[in-house]
Amino acid sequence: MSDVLVAQDGSVATITLSRPERKNAMTVEAWRSLRETFGALQHDDSVRAVILTGAGGDFCTGADMERRDFTHPLDRMREINETALAVAEFSKPLIAQVEGYAVGAGWNMALLCDVVVASRTAKFGQIFARRGLSIDFGGSWILPRLVGLHQAKRLVMLADIVCAEEAYDLGLVTELVEPDALAGRAAELAARLAAAPPVAVSMSARMLEQGSSLTLREALENEARSQAINHATDAPDAMRAFVDKREPSFTGGWRVPRPVDTPS
């Protein structure tokens, strides 16, 4: 049985990390399978939004420390890093649906998603130091951006397990729900995002991620280029729909008019 399962309901795909006997701890093979899954969904036009979750009541406890691997640690980490990039650079809306434990690389994987919906009983931790390790899976990049340097250092250096309420208060969870409402809420958000203008939403997400490292002038130029693209995709129909008092239908399709041949 695969360690990474995929199911599709309409335009929403759900990726399930499926090693429940190990709280979905990831082997090198599982990291590779997850990376390939994101690559396949990236190019599947029938998928407009994706939910990432775990089987058996937990999200992911990072790398499986009990699985022996004779690969050189640097080569192994570089391969895992490729999976981190596949998550972070995935251009379609990506929702982390978190219950149980999300620790180590598992927590950072959730943080690299666009939206994190968590059960009130979820538990989070940057537990690397407990294993004699430093932070990885993009945590050194994403965590201080979300909580600031000193809170990031506290979470990483002390390696405490924090409850869902604290993670929410720190801005590390988008929304908290009761355990029995988690799957339904994630599906509801995914459906809304799947119906959103795909090009515009994707560009907005990328601009927000890049904004803190740009000057205002550079950010404004990115916004101008993005709006120009939107005016050749979904914006014209959305504007007509507003005037006509109807709901727009967003496809992300290229709508530049073909030139009209003129008689010579």
Side-chain angles (χ1 to χ4, degrees), residues 104-125:
W107 190 8
N108 293 332
M109 177 163 46
L111 294 178
L112 290 175
C113 297
D114 298 308
V115 176
V116 180
V117 182
S119 163
R120 293 186 181 277
T121 58
K123 292 178 171 55
F124 302 87

Side-chain angles (χ1 to χ4, degrees), residues 139-159:
S140 64
W141 182 86
I142 189 65
L143 198 58
R145 280 171 165 77
L146 295 173
V147 299
L149 180 60
H150 284 94
Q151 286 287 6
K153 285 183 175 180
R154 174 180 73 87
L155 291 168
V156 173
M157 296 171 73
L158 296 178

